[in-house]
Amino acid sequence: MQMRLLTWIKKHALFCLGTFLLLLLLAITFAGPYLPFVDRELTTITYILNEDKKPVIPPYPPSEEYIFGTDKSGRDLLSLIILGAKETILLVACITVLRYALAIPLSYLAHKKWMGTHLFLKWLNGLLSYIPTIIIVMLLAMLPPFLLSDYRPFFLLLIIALAEMPRAADMIKLEFDQISSKEYIYGGIAGGASPYRLFRIYYLPFLYSKLLVNMVTDLGKVMFLLGQLGFAGIFISQDFVQSMSGDWQLVNKSISWPMMMIKAFEDIRGPIWIPFFSAFAMTYAILTFNIFADGLKSFFTRKIRYI
Amino acid sequence: MLHIILKTASVFVLIVIGFILILFLPREKEVTVFSGFHIEADYPFSFELYLARIENFTDHILTERGFGEARTGRPVSEEAGKFVARSLKIVLPAFMVSMLLGTLMGAVQFYRRIKFTGKLQNFLSWMFSSIPDFFLFIAIQYLFILMMQHGLPHFKLYGHENWYSFLLPLISLSLFPFLHMSRFTSAALENEMGEEYVRTAYSKGLGDFKALLHMLWNCWSPIMNQAQLVMLYILSSLPIIEKLAGYNGAGKELLFSISSNDELKALSLMLPFLFIMFITIILSQTAKLWLVQKERV
């Protein structure tokens, strides 16, 4: 029994490593806040007296007391990252699910060449293969109707999901095109299945494994994009507040990881550990998603090969 | 050949128009002063305003015969040219490193795939391609800062004035496309392993290396198709890396002009980027036609 388990693990080493890292990430996200060394209150510190009884104001560099250092209001960075994980992961997952929920129907319509959808998709992909996604997202996210709306976070989620949606749709469309030449599809058509039924029962089940792999890969890509947007000063959960001079200002209220990069361009010349550790957390998440995606891929392809 | 150029050019024109249409969506603030203590700011958003803005823009372009003057009094195009030239110093080497060295590295990795070093290289390139470029950049800077605190001679990590300023951004920008090309080439070569001509090459007594050359020649088509992706990746990451490095190039200025709603400047900086993409596509397609034998196209 033990031998069989070992050989199974050896055979799917990548998959096991990916699962382990993913479980670790999820454990940090959901159970992490209850660890003893995590400061759930995120207490702020005004100053600390040093040996010469001189007050030193935060941020403090990484030390034994604060492993990751503190931010500018003296909050422990490690606790901040662990507490912010839930929001970050949730955002990334939401965007990815939304993206594929939109991409799958669109790709099927494009495959069926319904009302010129395929041309539209081709044009969108052309546009996106020229213009960097981050520029498009920035341009759309700064539009007043989205900026001033009460549902701004939702709109931003939608914009980010839409920005890379055509690429995903194009990839799924290729799969549809491939499947459509298979014999059993003709069987379905001859049997009188409606287009919707064909889609649900004849096409989709063969795509589940590929969709899953691509969605997990996209989790990493979305995290990367959120990081880039964080550097560009665009966040999902921001409040828009009018200041005394009549100007509008973006105000933070969240503790997600990209948010810690808001002052990255100043921090990088001083307390560089603030952007470093938030970027490190993102890198860990991206690495986990990529390893898990590759593990899943090899898991599925092996399964198919041995049938 | 002419057909490809014409087609790419028309796509390019369509994309420029699409970008201008997105750029000129109304995003300006309208402040109404009611009294000394009552000021209201509003962001009007209507189709009429949108049309007026586009009309305004075309008028401006027609009357000025170009982008006109910037707020500094110098022509916008001259300023943009300065920034773009600075960015090209990073973009072009990054592209060259990714395409040439990446392909070479992929071939080496394929050549040694069974040996331990090849496997190690495969694993490392896979591992490092998961690292986002901004983290790599910050990590390198953090490392340098820590090393300087422990006695490394001091040098400037930020800015664009020194001759070596472009090196750090260049390294962090080219890592991902370089690894991508290396992995892609190696995968493309593996696809060719089952082809008959490889067997023929071996049966004629050619060694591994000569056979590899045969295979590489047949991989040019998929490899050249990656050029656009590599360039797009470099241009996407350029603004963030430039901003992190304090490198005053076109990417950093583009971010600034977009967030301060300076559409003309944004357009003048974005157009060269789009043009670079266009040139990349044309060149890679031409190279493909030139390199690949007709029968295999």
Side-chain angles (χ1 to χ4, degrees):
Chain A
M1 184 59 208
Q2 218 171 9
M3 268 316 282
R4 270 174 66 188
L5 190 69
L6 272 178
T7 44
W8 193 87
I9 289 178
K10 211 175 165 187
K11 205 164 118 192
H12 303 289
L14 205 58
F15 177 69
C16 293
L17 179 67
T19 316
F20 171 73
L21 286 175
L22 189 70
L23 286 179
L24 191 66
L25 182 70
L26 291 179
I28 292 173
T29 310
F30 292 104
Y34 304 102
L35 289 174
F37 55 84
V38 173
D39 175 16
R40 246 171 298 157
E41 308 292 316
L42 289 176
T43 25
T44 54
I45 304 168
T46 338
Y47 62 87
I48 291 179
L49 291 180
N50 67 358
E51 294 99 35
D52 311 328
K53 296 274 179 240
K54 287 226 174 89
V56 187
I57 53 165
Y60 307 114
S63 60
E64 273 168 29
E65 196 180 348
Y66 306 107
I67 302 169
F68 282 7
T70 72
D71 73 349
K72 278 178 186 158
S73 41
R75 296 181 293 184
D76 178 29
L77 215 55
L78 180 63
S79 309
L80 208 58
I81 284 175
I82 290 178
L83 291 174
K86 200 186 283 175
E87 195 185 322
T88 317
I89 303 283
L90 211 65
L91 277 179
V92 170
C94 271
I95 291 172
T96 313
V97 170
L98 196 62
R99 176 179 295 172
Y100 276 81
L102 292 168
I104 295 171
L106 182 71
S107 60
Y108 188 64
L109 291 180
H111 163 69
K112 287 278 166 212
K113 302 201 168 131
W114 180 78
M115 302 245 311
T117 341
H118 58 296
L119 294 176
F120 177 63
L121 188 63
K122 212 171 158 188
W123 182 79
L124 273 183
N125 263 313
L127 190 73
L128 287 175
S129 63
Y130 264 91
I131 305 172
T133 325
I134 175 173
I135 302 285
I136 295 256
V137 174
M138 272 188 82
L139 281 175
L140 292 180
M142 299 292 278
L143 284 180
F146 305 134
L147 211 55
L148 297 180
S149 158
D150 288 340
Y151 304 106
R152 185 174 178 278
F154 179 73
F155 277 124
L156 260 180
L157 278 183
L158 197 67
I159 290 173
I160 298 176
L162 279 176
E164 295 237 329
M165 189 271 285
R167 196 186 41 74
D170 198 47
M171 188 210 66
I172 305 169
K173 179 180 169 282
L174 280 181
E175 296 288 335
F176 277 138
D177 289 350
Q178 257 177 24
I179 292 178
S180 69
S181 60
K182 296 252 165 78
E183 290 281 324
Y184 66 85
I185 299 287
Y186 294 121
I189 295 170
S194 67
Y196 175 71
R197 197 180 154 76
L198 270 181
F199 170 67
R200 255 208 25 80
I201 300 182
Y202 287 76
Y203 281 97
L204 263 194
F206 289 87
L207 282 180
Y208 284 146
S209 61
K210 279 199 172 143
L211 281 178
L212 189 64
V213 170
N214 280 310
M215 277 175 89
V216 177
T217 318
D218 263 31
L219 287 176
K221 285 186 185 156
V222 171
M223 182 73 91
F224 178 63
L225 186 62
L226 280 188
Q228 283 194 323
L229 284 172
F231 284 114
I234 291 179
F235 308 94
I236 289 177
S237 31
Q238 273 169 330
D239 256 1
F240 214 50
V241 177
Q242 194 169 17
S243 70
M244 292 295 281
S245 56
D247 267 347
W248 293 92
Q249 277 179 341
L250 293 167
V251 174
N252 298 315
K253 52 172 186 176
S254 110
I255 49 167
S256 64
W257 295 341
M259 201 63 92
M260 285 171 226
M261 297 173 175
I262 189 161
K263 288 264 165 27
F265 305 108
E266 297 163 23
D267 292 344
I268 203 169
R269 285 154 181 76
I272 192 173
W273 54 88
I274 301 175
F276 176 80
F277 283 113
S278 47
F280 176 75
M282 296 180 116
T283 307
Y284 172 71
I286 292 174
L287 193 67
T288 303
F289 293 140
N290 282 355
I291 292 178
F292 189 61
D294 270 24
L296 271 179
K297 204 156 124 193
S298 70
F299 186 70
F300 285 133
T301 48
R302 265 179 208 192
K303 209 169 145 194
I304 289 164
R305 203 175 287 162
Y306 283 108
I307 283 175
Chain B
M1 185 64 223
L2 196 70
H3 173 71
I4 292 178
I5 293 184
L6 280 179
K7 200 179 147 198
T8 322
S10 56
V11 170
F12 174 65
V13 171
L14 275 181
I15 280 163
V16 169
I17 293 174
F19 180 73
I20 292 176
L21 289 183
I22 295 176
L23 187 67
F24 280 89
L25 285 169
R27 55 185 87 228
E28 259 161 26
K29 183 172 58 178
E30 215 167 64
V31 181
T32 332
V33 183
F34 288 97
S35 70
F37 300 102
H38 184 184
I39 300 170
E40 273 185 18
D42 189 25
Y43 289 83
F45 193 82
S46 66
F47 191 66
E48 287 83 40
L49 190 67
Y50 185 32
L51 278 184
R53 273 165 64 85
I54 290 178
E55 216 166 289
N56 202 351
F57 164 70
T58 40
D59 277 354
H60 182 83
I61 293 285
L62 289 178
T63 49
E64 300 274 346
R65 294 181 183 281
F67 285 110
E69 283 188 353
R71 286 167 199 164
T72 48
R74 282 192 309 183
V76 171
S77 44
E78 190 189 311
E79 281 204 333
K82 206 177 79 191
F83 290 125
V84 171
R86 226 176 254 159
S87 283
L88 279 183
K89 231 166 86 183
I90 298 180
V91 171
L92 289 183
F95 183 69
M96 285 300 159
V97 164
S98 318
M99 287 304 285
L100 297 177
L101 289 185
T103 312
L104 194 71
M105 206 63 181
V108 171
Q109 185 181 324
F110 175 77
Y111 193 61
R112 294 190 307 199
R113 69 193 177 283
I114 306 163
K115 296 189 185 115
F116 174 73
T117 47
K119 279 181 183 160
L120 185 72
Q121 189 189 348
N122 186 16
F123 177 74
L124 283 181
S125 72
W126 181 73
M127 192 83 175
F128 272 95
S129 61
S130 295
I131 294 180
D133 43 23
F134 54 78
F135 176 69
L136 185 74
F137 186 80
I138 297 177
I140 294 177
Q141 282 200 326
Y142 199 14
L143 192 72
F144 273 130
I145 290 174
L146 288 181
M147 274 159 70
M148 278 177 197
Q149 282 171 359
H150 290 93
L152 190 81
H154 191 83
F155 60 89
K156 262 185 95 170
L157 282 171
Y158 310 98
H160 60 92
E161 296 87 1
N162 302 82
W163 63 267
Y164 51 79
S165 305
F166 74 101
L167 279 176
L168 256 187
L170 174 65
I171 292 171
S172 25
L173 260 185
S174 15
L175 186 80
F176 179 81
F178 167 73
L179 292 176
H180 169 81
M181 277 320 288
S182 139
R183 287 172 52 188
F184 185 86
T185 310
S186 152
L189 284 170
E190 262 166 48
N191 272 342
E192 293 285 315
M193 275 200 307
E195 297 286 327
E196 303 240 314
Y197 70 86
V198 183
R199 197 171 53 182
T200 314
Y202 274 112
S203 69
K204 275 161 74 182
L206 300 177
D208 278 348
F209 185 70
K210 280 278 167 68
L212 180 69
L213 280 184
H214 275 70
M215 288 157 80
L216 199 58
W217 215 255
N218 275 310
C219 287
W220 284 130
S221 174
I223 289 175
M224 282 302 159
N225 281 340
Q226 295 298 306
Q228 189 184 0
L229 200 81
V230 166
M231 194 46 122
L232 183 69
Y233 180 84
I234 293 173
L235 292 185
S236 310
S237 285
L238 185 75
I240 303 295
I241 295 293
E242 275 189 352
K243 208 171 169 193
L244 275 176
Y247 190 93
N248 238 344
K252 190 184 168 202
E253 284 298 312
L254 181 65
L255 278 189
F256 177 72
S257 59
I258 289 179
S259 51
S260 62
N261 289 342
D262 191 348
E263 286 94 3
L264 268 181
K265 194 172 168 192
L267 187 64
S268 73
L269 291 165
M270 195 61 203
L271 273 183
F273 280 178
L274 293 178
F275 194 65
I276 292 173
M277 288 301 300
F278 174 63
I279 295 287
T280 312
I281 294 171
I282 293 274
L283 283 184
S284 63
Q285 293 300 322
T286 317
K288 202 169 103 181
L289 276 183
W290 182 61
L291 282 169
V292 177
Q293 287 91 337
K294 277 274 171 343
E295 303 88 66
R296 297 257 310 177
V297 177

